[in-house]
Amino acid sequence: MNKRTLEENIFKILMMISISIVVGSLIIIVALVIINGGPALTLGLLTQTSSGEFYLGSGGGGILNAILGSLLLALPATGLACVIGIAIALYLQKDFTHSWVAGFIRFSLDILWGIPSIIYGVFCFLIMIYLGMSASVLVGIIALTLLEIPIITRYMDESIKLVPIGLKEGAYSLGSTKFETAVKVVPRQALPGILAGILLGLGRGIGDAASILFTAGFTNRIPSSLLDSTAALPTMIFQLSTSSLPIVRQKASATALVLLLIVFTISILSRALSKRYMKYVIK
Amino acid sequence: MNRRKLRDFLGTKLMLVVTVAISLLFFSIFFLLLFKSLFIFEQHSLAEILFSSSWNPGFNQFGLYPIIVGTVLVTGIALIIAVPISILSAVYIAEYAPKKIRKVVRPFIDVLAGVPSVVYGLCALLFLVPLIKDVIAPWFGIETTGYCILTASITLAIMVFPIIISLCVESFHAIPLSLREASLSVGATKWETVKKVIFRASAPSIISAVFLGFGRAFGETIAVNMVVGGITRTPSTIFSPGQTLASLIVSAYSDMMSSPLYESALMMVALILFIVVLLFNIFGIFILRRAKKRWNF
């Protein structure tokens, strides 16, 4: 074997090792969560709210308040981000905005996408203090909305960009206004991409802890109004995992298992829905 | 003006308002953080804050040096681990893997990207911390609790994999086939083609992938906070506990409101985080955009 084939083979082996590390780390993560959390994942855990003893490991309590809290935070946030996102994405079309202005806004959205979520958390925290509010569902929703807007908008924008100009011209030639075309014709054609964006945003929002840690607070009760503080799955995992008791860590893993199941369901749903709504797309 | 025209006018203006508001979000975050951190600059100079090594808010000392060193170490080591592994994986996926394997591996990477950071932190806590405490550190004859710089770096490296891999694979695919064929036809081996043609043609994209990965690692908060140790002393080895900028904000937020100076110091930490991530992202996105134009992807 000469030097050149030797080099080829060495790097082939290195590539195999690298890809095994990448795939292996995901397998280890999923296996760890299932093995540690599986036994602790009981019906009681899912249907009871947490209490003081819950964090000390002596039996009782569950994570119902965190599950509901997560949904109460992430679903409205995704809804809001979706409305704002679609407005921006539609406005970035050439029909409304000069392409250099659109380019600048896309650039700033890309940058906002990369901003660490803790910054959104701190930003909303400062505004919250300024307004004299305390940590609550409402502030948590706002923090998550800000976090999700760049993701959802950029996804929608990429798929709206691909809408054929002929389709829009068809609508204009029938006498529809720019706004009517943008609201009624374009979204249908771009639907698969729009849905993928929304679900990606939802998945990101439901899993993020840093932005809601100060803004949504933490409590053992199910929130009864928008101004109540609430627990959420990520903050619950964070809270539970700082304990040194093995039994409490098991509960953290069980909570992580619930969160992973939700996130994976969202991502499978996203693929399935995108495929389903492809049928409205005129090629 | 009839109703349809009115709706068109109002709808369009509403969209404009929303778009302008979001473009301003970025500036409002910057100016709010800047405004809040001005207070600490009235009492301490920038040089003192950046280079003094005693962080002791109770005694009015706000030296960020140990935390900056911790952040640079954690992020740097994470990238040293992540970059070669990610690039080699990307080469394998884009150039070597048979279609069947590629179809299996791609979703794996997408799923890895979707795992919430707190779950990464938990798994590091359950697996990496004991591993480093009981196996790896004794190899080097060092005693550690396992909550250290290295644990945080490995956790971050795994979180950065999907970002660098997917950007690299995308850019490798965009290199025209004719470039590869030209190289192969003059007798280069596949690896030589990768090394001398693919890497060179997609160098800007690889650099931007690394920059964007850096941005992610630098700002990651929760997972790092769970395993880094949270001690604001300058770390002496990679097995010592440390603290990073983002993780400090989480650790300190409960007593943040105790004094306005402390609050201002933390806002300055957030500002530094914001500016550094911003610079790397701007640079990364800028290079990536030019590469996309060059190769049309």
Side-chain angles (χ1 to χ4, degrees), chain A residues 107-181:
Chain A
F107 191 70
S108 64
L109 283 169
D110 280 344
I111 290 166
L112 282 175
W113 189 332
I115 301 273
S117 57
I118 183 85
I119 300 287
Y120 290 108
V122 168
F123 178 67
C124 290
F125 178 80
L126 286 176
I127 291 176
M128 176 183 96
I129 297 292
Y130 181 74
L131 295 177
M133 293 165 74
S134 59
S136 61
V137 177
L138 183 66
V139 188
I141 290 174
I142 294 171
L144 282 186
T145 307
L146 294 182
L147 177 77
E148 287 180 25
I149 285 173
I151 304 171
I152 293 183
T153 310
R154 281 299 274 137
Y155 250 77
M156 288 177 169
D157 173 47
E158 288 294 329
S159 94
I160 284 173
K161 251 201 258 178
L162 298 177
V163 172
I165 186 119
L167 203 66
K168 289 190 245 176
E169 280 169 350
Y172 290 142
S173 69
L174 292 172
S176 73
T177 61
K178 275 206 270 187
F179 185 65
E180 281 165 347
T181 311

Side-chain angles (χ1 to χ4, degrees), chain A residues 89-119:
Chain A
L90 289 173
Y91 201 76
L92 289 179
Q93 292 177 94
K94 283 205 181 81
D95 314 46
F96 293 96
T97 318
H98 273 295
S99 57
W100 69 268
V101 178
F104 174 76
I105 293 170
R106 286 192 183 109
F107 191 70
S108 64
L109 283 169
D110 280 344
I111 290 166
L112 282 175
W113 189 332
I115 301 273
S117 57
I118 183 85
I119 300 287

Side-chain angles (χ1 to χ4, degrees), chain B:
Chain B
M1 205 151 48
N2 68 23
R3 259 182 65 199
R4 283 180 60 214
K5 270 195 174 161
L6 186 71
R7 257 193 24 208
D8 181 62
F9 176 78
L10 287 179
T12 311
K13 287 295 171 254
L14 196 67
M15 278 153 67
L16 175 68
V17 168
V18 172
T19 309
V20 170
I22 291 302
S23 315
L24 290 180
L25 172 64
F26 170 78
F27 296 101
S28 32
I29 294 177
F30 176 74
F31 283 112
L32 188 60
L33 289 178
L34 186 68
F35 172 72
K36 279 282 173 184
S37 45
L38 280 181
F39 186 54
I40 190 155
F41 288 122
E42 284 171 10
Q43 307 208 2
H44 302 269
S45 70
L46 183 64
E48 186 193 334
I49 291 167
L50 291 181
F51 300 112
S52 151
S53 57
S54 51
W55 171 266
N56 216 333
F59 293 96
N60 211 355
Q61 291 169 319
F62 297 98
L64 280 181
Y65 180 72
I67 300 157
I68 291 172
V69 171
T71 314
V72 171
L73 272 179
V74 169
T75 320
I77 298 169
L79 284 184
I80 290 172
I81 301 170
V83 169
I85 294 180
S86 308
I87 292 179
L88 284 174
S89 303
V91 171
Y92 181 75
I93 293 171
E95 305 292 327
Y96 284 83
K99 228 180 181 170
K100 262 189 197 163
I101 296 185
R102 197 181 305 170
K103 264 193 174 157
V104 181
V105 173
R106 285 306 296 271
F108 258 90
I109 289 164
D110 289 344
V111 170
L112 196 63
V115 173
S117 61
V118 67
V119 177
Y120 281 104
L122 180 70
C123 291
L125 212 60
L126 293 169
F127 183 71
L128 279 179
V129 167
L131 182 77
I132 285 177
K133 183 185 169 197
D134 300 327
V135 182
I136 295 179
W139 279 352
F140 296 92
I142 295 171
E143 242 179 71
T144 169
T145 51
Y147 295 90
C148 61
I149 301 279
L150 183 65
T151 318
S153 304
I154 298 175
T155 315
L156 280 183
I158 296 172
M159 299 177 74
V160 170
F161 283 157
I163 298 176
I164 303 185
I165 293 178
S166 50
L167 280 171
C168 282
V169 169
E170 204 183 324
S171 73
F172 293 161
H173 276 315
I175 307 296
L177 197 60
S178 52
L179 279 184
R180 288 186 189 96
E181 281 168 347
S183 160
L184 292 170
S185 69
V186 292
T189 62
K190 208 165 183 183
W191 171 251
E192 281 169 340
T193 307
V194 167
K195 193 171 61 176
K196 296 191 174 145
V197 177
I198 308 279
F199 278 173
R200 191 166 295 185
S202 54
S205 324
I206 295 176
I207 293 171
S208 79
V210 172
F211 273 60
L212 294 177
F214 177 91
R216 174 82 202 268
F218 200 84
E220 179 45 48
T221 313
I222 293 290
V224 172
N225 185 272
M226 286 160 89
V227 295
V228 80
I231 289 172
T232 42
R233 231 181 300 128
T234 312
S236 47
T237 68
I238 55 170
F239 292 107
S240 350
Q243 182 69 292
T244 71
L245 291 168
S247 154
L248 175 74
I249 300 175
V250 168
S251 301
Y253 93 102
S254 50
D255 25 56
M256 167 152 79
M257 303 308 289
S258 57
S259 83
L261 200 61
Y262 194 6
E263 189 199 342
S264 173
L266 285 177
M267 293 309 129
M268 187 200 54
V269 170
L271 183 68
I272 295 175
L273 197 65
F274 181 79
I275 292 174
V276 172
V277 172
L278 194 74
L279 288 180
F280 274 85
N281 278 347
I282 288 179
F283 211 59
I285 293 166
F286 188 68
I287 301 174
L288 190 66
R289 286 211 166 175
R290 289 193 51 176
K292 281 194 177 177
K293 236 180 224 162
R294 169 91 171 75
W295 299 112
N296 263 325
F297 70 99

Side-chain angles (χ1 to χ4, degrees), chain A residues 235-276:
Chain A
T235 44
M236 179 65 102
I237 298 169
F238 184 60
Q239 201 84 7
L240 288 173
S241 62
T242 46
S243 164
S244 54
L245 297 167
I247 178 109
V248 180
R249 284 199 175 177
Q250 232 181 21
K251 287 176 185 166
S253 307
T255 315
L257 185 57
V258 174
L259 182 59
L260 272 188
L261 283 177
I262 294 176
V263 171
F264 289 170
T265 313
I266 291 171
S267 104
I268 293 168
L269 203 67
S270 146
R271 276 158 203 261
L273 281 180
S274 296
K275 220 176 238 170
R276 200 188 136 105

